[in-house]
Amino acid sequence: MGKGELVRLMNLTKWAVGLASAGLVMAACSSSGSGGSSTGSSQSVKSGGSITYALDENLAGFNINTSAAAEFVLQEVLDQVWPTVFNADQNGTPFLNTELVSSVTQTSTNPQTLVYKINPKAKWSDGQPIDAFDFWYNGMIQSGASSITDIDGKAPDVASSAGYNQIKSVTGSDPANGAACKSDSVTGITGSISCGNGDTVTVTFSAPYADYKALFSPMVPAHEAAKVGWNTGFTDWHTVLSGSWYEISNYVENQYVVLKKNPSYWGTPGKLDTITFQIFNGDQQAVPAMQNGEVQVIQPLELDLATVQQANQLTGVTRKLIGGFQYQHIDFNQSDPYLAMTPVRQALAYGTDRKQIVARTIGEYDPSIVPLGSRMYVPGQTGYVNNGSAFETVDVAKAKSLLQSAGMTMGSDGYFQPSSGPQKGQDLTFTLKSTSGNTLRANIEQLLQAQWKAIGVKLEIQNETASTLFGTDLPKGQFQITLFAWVATPFVSANEAIFCSYTNSSLCGENWNHYANPQVDKLLTNGAAATSSQSETNDYNQADKLLWQDMATLPLFQEPVFTVWSNKYGNIVPNPTNFGIPWNANLWGLKAS
């Protein structure tokens, strides 16, 4: 996810990336909202009407399960469109979508075997059933297997194959309405699924997968993907069939996305007739848009004090600030000859005053925020350990010493000059790319320029639109240093796609930094296959310690989630995970009284 946030996608998932489910430390700010249950239902609302929610960046595509379109804003849109087996509530706790699947039962631990019972009424908006074929296709296309190709013969662009790469088989049984079993297959995908129209799906794993609840969430319509293609078939919104409460009825690039009730939905229909996502370039327009009635819900994640103060002047609204499953960070592209040197990355980290960055940005309205000490968990979550304490205090002398050890000498102008490579004899200069129109990141960039100047490093700023940065520059490695946020799922194994060695492109699709460490790979693999939550937590924390030693990335701070909505509406419940606030938008509605 502008939000410039990517979903740490755990199954695919940036957002999505995952964090283990746990209670969060909640910090209310002029809050009068209620928590609600796992469905978020707590108020009586009318049927009918509409609502408009502010998005802060355009969409890079519509297949959230690809690295090219794994944006937080897209996840928010698809919450009500593509079906999920498990969702996550306002506490970050996974819960089963019983309107899609009546049960998920683990029938064996050796090998791990899961049985999914699909609602026989479940169907896509074109009338095709949601059945075993959808599970099989989504599992195979995201498996990372070298034998799997898209319909054009190219390898699938998968945000992550975590979990799917451990599936041994997907089989169907029990076809609906007494129909005969049929087999389904797709060109380029090895094998076929027997009884592809079955309503019972049995998934067997080659190795245990601790975060199995992250799989098949969301699911791409298999029969449509087999026709239009996984990689590029969903760049056009017309191909985005619905398997949930709402369907996309209109999209105008850089302007809006409109959802309307899915007339083919088999379960309890959504309350509102339409949900519009109004697209702005950044968060600065959110409060004014709410003030003039253009939108009724805002969630300006890239906050500054001025935005919070403006929001506090609004009347007839509810405001809530909660701890988020998201964090800002700096990434170093190790394909650059200087950033490939560990001492250079460590020098930049020792020269970064994270306490000052917090104090001058997010700390102005939330003094509880401190420099983040983990890439795996955020403060308030079970499992959080501050592994980055060594980098909490700026050490200019150590930073300069590290640069000298990397073969650089200080020039007369106060900047280090490399003794070899493309910048030999020139001032060491890096370019930082982030999202344009983002006040928070612009402030961080200015602070970094001054902080890194103090250690003898020049920093140039080259911001891009979100669609360019996330759709092109990052996936293609066209950057030196970047600044953005990961938005996490409730599952820690989502981190594997970001931090496992880039040489494994099928599994590590979001490792754009060209980072590689076989010890980290082993710990991430062990964590994903852990049979206890404690073992999983230990493995991921050990991996994080190595990531700090290698300075693969530099976490800055956890971001709170700040949400404002009109008091005319009920059942709006902020969510800290990658699902975002529309997680229960099917229950939103105008208050009955």
Side-chain angles (χ1 to χ4, degrees), residues 274-291:
T274 61
I275 301 171
T276 298
F277 296 87
Q278 193 73 28
I279 299 171
F280 297 98
N281 181 24
D283 284 314
Q284 293 71 40
Q285 302 172 65
V287 175
M290 191 164 199
Q291 192 169 29

Side-chain angles (χ1 to χ4, degrees), residues 217-235:
S217 298
M219 281 203 294
V220 175
H223 68 287
E224 185 71 7
K227 179 174 64 177
V228 302
W230 171 274
N231 291 340
T232 60
F234 297 99
T235 55

